[in-house]
Every structure is written in C-alpha cells, then in structure tokens.
Amino acid sequence: MKAEIVSVGTELLLGEVSDTNAAYLASQLALLGAEVHFITAVDDSMDRLGEVLTRAWGRSDMIVVTGGLGPTQDDLTREAVACLLGEEMQVSQPLLQNLKDMFAAIGRTMSDSNIKQATLIPSAQSLANPRGTAPGWWVERDGRLLITLPGPPPEMQRMWQMEVLPRLQARTQGQALVLRTLKCFGLTEAEAGEVAGSAGDWANPSLGIYARADGIHLRMSARAASQDEAASIIAAAEARLRSVLAGHIWGTDEDSPEAAVGRLLVERELTLATMESCTGGLLGSLITDVPGSSAYYRGGLVAYANEAKVSFGVEPRLIERHGAVSRQAAEAMAEAARQRLGADVGLSTTGVAGPEGAEGKAPGLAYVAVSGALGRECIEGRYPPLRFDMKRRVAIQALLLLRRRLLAR
Ligand code: ATP
Ligand code: MG
C-alpha cells in the first residue's frame, strides 16, 4: 500500500514547531507494512493545501493528514478535503450534541465557530477525540483512504491508536505481519549489512538495517496468511542471523542495555557504582532511567579533572605514568568508585571526547572498565570524535561490558 503523510500548519513552515506528527505516523505506517512515499508539510492556505491533497489523491492509496481541524478560519483541512472530493460538508447532529456536551462539562458555552468541527461529508465517518474538540475523518472513496487527524500530538496519537489502527487492522485481515529486531554492537552498518546479506536473501522477511545510539538494529518483517506462519518465518530467519552475528547481538525488540543490566544485577543480587570522566554523568543518567534502579545502583562519581579522580581514590602516580585516558586509569577508577560507594561492582569511563586530542592521544579514544565482584576487565574503543555521539556510545559500551560480565557469572 502506497501511503503519504500531509502535515498542515503555518507554524511548521516557520520552524516554530517540529513536525513530530509525521515522524510518528511514518514509523507507525512502516510497522503496518505500508510504504510511505511522501511526507509534505504545507501552510494554512486553501490553495496550497488543495494542491497537495490533489496530488496525493492521484498517487497514493492512503493519505494521512494532521492539523487544521481547529475551529478558526485558518483551520482548513475539512474544507480542503470536501473540495477535493466535490462533496458538501453537513452538520452531524450527534457530533454537534457531543461537542456541546463537552463544552458544558467544562462550564462553557460553545461558540458558533466550533460548529464546523461537527461536520462530515457523505464519504466520511467520524473518528472520536476525547482529548479535544476536533473529531477526525475516515474517508473512503474510489478505492482510496484519507484520514484526517488533529494537530496536537497527544490528540493525534490517541486517535491513531484507538480509532485508526483497529479499522486498518480490520481491513488487512488475512494478512499477518510479524516484526523482530536484533540489536548489535561493535559492527558498522556496512559490516552488519554484509554479514546479514551472507545469511540469505531478504525478500520475506525483509530486512532493514539502522544505525542507532545503542548500535546497529536489524529489523526483520515477515508477511504471511496467518500470525503463526509469519512467526515461524521470523524464527527461521532469526536463527540464521544469530548464527552469523552471534557475539555481536546484545538484545531484541524493546531491550535497552540499561534495562538488561538492571535485570541481571537484581537477579545476581549485586550493587553497582560508577566513576565517569568523558561521559560526564550520562552513564549514571542512563542507569537511573530504569524504574527500580535504586535497588542496585549506589551512585556515581563524575570525576572530570585528574584532581577529582585522585580525590576519589585513584593513585596520582598511575595517572602521571599512563595518563587519565588509559587502561590502568579506567580500571583504577572502577575500583575506586566501588570502594568509595560500597558497591559490589564498579564501572568506569574515560576518554578523549575531542575535538582536540589530549595526553598525546587522538580524539575518539576511550576506555571502559569493570572491577569488583565480576572480576576486572577493560575495553579499549575508538569512536567517531563527535562529543555527543561519543559520550552515548562510550556509556552504552560500558553497560554492554557490564552485561557480558554479568551473563558470564
Ligand atoms: P485544534 O485547533 O483543535 O487544537 P488542529 O487540528 O487545528 O487542532 P493545529 O491548530 O493545526 O491543530 O495544531 C495545534 C498544535 O498542535 C500546534 O500549535 C502544534 O503545537 C501542534 N502540532 C500541529 N501539527 C503538528 C505536527 N505536525 N507535529 C507536531 N506538533 C504539531
Ligand atoms: Mg493549525
């Protein structure tokens, strides 16, 4: 199915509001197996909106429009759709009553300008919006589908989940789609692509490869007549991928390194402390994103300057000899954090975040280390020297090192 998204609103074209609705809908449509060929943002102009809708109607099977359903004169989506299809907008008495009830419930009277929010055209069914005043439209005609959704993201997302998805799923019955994502670390996107390519052709399931902060994601999507059949196609493909990517896969679907580490620490009844240099607290931030992390995370020391590392218990001579960005410093930091904070396991990060080098070392070099109840280990890594990216990757690498040690125990 060829799909297309239209985001309506002058605020989008002025750069005041980012078009997050289109991103949300694009990812939702991809999950349904629809091919999104166009995303267009257009201002609140009848002419230009009409032009965009006419083109979309001519080339796509499904058009999802967000925004422009408000009560004001510059909210023109309904008018533009009615004009596109040559149909007349009529007030729906049940919708009007519903709108009046909503205003009464908050102690207000409805103004006349809201009446147009209670209109439909003959080809449209209404989509309920309990979070706002603008119902959406589900329009089916000439083998095409057009859906209008409100602009505010909470209203739009609720309507998509509760009103649109069930209707779409009912239309695609007899066609099941199963998705599975394998998450890898320590490979480039190109390497992952080559290795995966050697493990079969990827017609069904299809395979998408994406570089993310926590590594490379390989997403398989299988289609079949039934859910069971699609699931078994995925299972076979997953086994093939696992056999070629074995050591690199750290998780699936919704897994995150911090949640995986949290589960394992709880299971093994171990506590954790961190000392961070180049990640500047990001590691501690990720760890505490997990609900219940207080059960195992004692806390973290952000020791950016060498003096700070020393004051937390790292030997000054060790830094003088090897530098703060070294295997020795990383291990000493992990051990010092563990001791200072009375934890079973210490985890550390140290690196040159750039853009300049330091200690005669190139930007992008980093070490992560673990020390304590899981033994001692340090990993050296070289990362793209972009500060923000590198901090995330080093923090993730530290978590994945910890995860591996926990699994080995
Ligand atoms: P209503 O007027 O009933 O709130 P509407 O359908 O007319 O709904 P808009 O007026 O177009 O919606 O948008 C309302 C607000 O929703 C915007 O100011 C903006 O903050 C947000 N919004 C609109 N479109 C988008 C979009 N594509 N992505 C993210 N936010 C959006
Ligand atoms: Mg608007």
Side-chain angles (χ1 to χ4, degrees):
M1 183 164 53
K2 286 185 281 182
E4 135 159 40
I5 298 166
V6 180
S7 304
V8 185
T10 299
E11 67 273 23
L12 298 166
L13 282 289
L14 292 173
E16 288 169 2
V17 171
S18 301
D19 190 359
T20 55
N21 284 352
Y24 175 86
L25 290 167
S27 65
Q28 290 285 312
L29 286 163
L31 290 178
L32 289 169
E35 293 170 50
V36 176
H37 286 174
F38 300 94
I39 295 177
T40 310
V42 59
D43 66 347
D44 297 305
S45 130
M46 192 61 181
D47 287 350
R48 288 181 288 270
L49 177 54
E51 189 183 321
V52 167
L53 290 181
T54 304
R55 204 177 310 148
W57 190 257
R59 68 189 177 191
S60 297
D61 308 311
M62 173 179 178
I63 304 157
V64 187
V65 186
T66 80
L69 297 184
T72 60
Q73 279 187 349
D74 63 1
D75 290 306
L76 295 165
T77 299
R78 284 185 206 81
E79 288 81 351
V81 174
C83 177
L84 168 77
L85 300 178
E87 296 188 18
E88 193 139 345
M89 286 164 63
Q90 291 146 1
V91 174
S92 145
Q93 287 309 322
L95 287 182
L96 187 61
Q97 192 55 50
N98 190 33
L99 205 53
K100 284 184 177 161
D101 292 346
M102 282 182 84
F103 277 95
I106 55 168
R108 292 178 171 228
T109 42
M110 191 190 93
S111 35
D112 285 348
S113 58
N114 287 104
I115 292 177
K116 72 173 187 167
Q117 295 187 298
T119 56
L120 286 173
I121 52 172
S123 302
Q125 294 168 23
S126 133
L127 302 170
N129 180 5
R131 293 187 180 170
T133 56
W137 281 2
W138 171 279
V139 181
E140 274 188 275
R141 224 186 76 177
D142 309 335
R144 291 188 177 71
L145 177 60
L146 186 150
I147 295 161
T148 70
L149 303 172
E155 295 178 33
M156 187 280 291
Q157 291 179 17
R158 191 223 172 255
M159 194 178 286
W160 177 262
Q161 292 293 333
M162 307 302 289
E163 299 285 324
V164 177
L165 270 187
R167 285 175 167 84
L168 285 177
Q169 277 155 358
R171 276 163 63 101
T172 53
Q173 250 171 20
Q175 225 202 355
L177 178 75
V178 173
L179 301 169
R180 178 81 165 158
T181 299
L182 299 184
K183 299 183 173 178
C184 298
F185 201 82
L187 282 168
T188 65
E189 203 176 340
E191 286 165 351
E194 282 165 25
V195 175
S198 72
D201 76 52
W202 292 99
N204 190 23
S206 63
L207 179 70
I209 299 180
Y210 313 95
R212 294 282 142 85
D214 58 2
I216 303 295
H217 293 189
L218 296 105
R219 194 186 74 198
M220 296 173 280
S221 70
R223 285 168 188 293
S226 74
Q227 196 75 12
D228 285 352
E229 205 180 315
S232 74
I233 292 174
I234 286 282
E238 178 170 346
R240 294 205 307 271
L241 274 187
R242 282 187 180 276
S243 72
V244 290
L245 287 166
H248 293 288
I249 297 171
W250 62 264
T252 59
D253 299 330
E254 300 306 316
D255 285 348
S256 71
E258 56 274 19
V261 158
R263 265 194 315 274
L264 290 165
L265 285 166
V266 169
E267 271 170 31
R268 312 282 198 269
E269 297 183 14
L270 293 171
T271 58
L272 176 67
T274 53
M275 192 186 299
E276 302 180 56
S277 186
C278 68
T279 48
L282 181 61
L283 179 59
S285 172
L286 286 171
I287 292 168
T288 53
D289 280 345
V290 180
S293 46
S294 58
Y296 50 83
Y297 188 46
R298 286 277 166 271
L301 307 166
V302 179
Y304 214 55
N306 289 354
E307 296 74 23
K309 296 178 182 76
V310 169
S311 77
F312 288 137
V314 177
E315 278 282 325
R317 266 174 315 173
L318 191 149
I319 297 182
E320 275 157 34
R321 248 179 94 183
H322 303 284
V325 181
S326 64
R327 197 170 280 280
Q328 292 81 355
E331 289 179 357
M333 286 167 67
E335 181 57 21
R338 187 186 81 74
Q339 290 187 15
R340 265 297 149 113
L341 298 171
D344 300 312
V345 180
L347 188 64
S348 69
T349 64
T350 179
V352 187
E356 306 296 322
E359 302 179 346
K361 291 159 188 162
L365 174 70
Y367 296 88
V368 301
V370 62
S371 180
L374 300 169
R376 197 171 271 209
E377 182 176 345
C378 177
I379 295 181
E380 178 185 288
R382 280 165 208 284
Y383 305 85
L386 301 166
R387 293 183 73 84
F388 181 76
D389 264 33
M390 175 171 166
K391 285 169 67 182
R392 276 202 71 83
R393 292 216 203 171
V394 173
I396 301 279
Q397 177 70 81
L399 290 168
L400 293 176
L401 166 63
L402 176 58
R403 173 183 171 275
R404 182 160 54 67
R405 299 294 303 196
L406 283 161
L407 283 171
R409 188 179 143 101

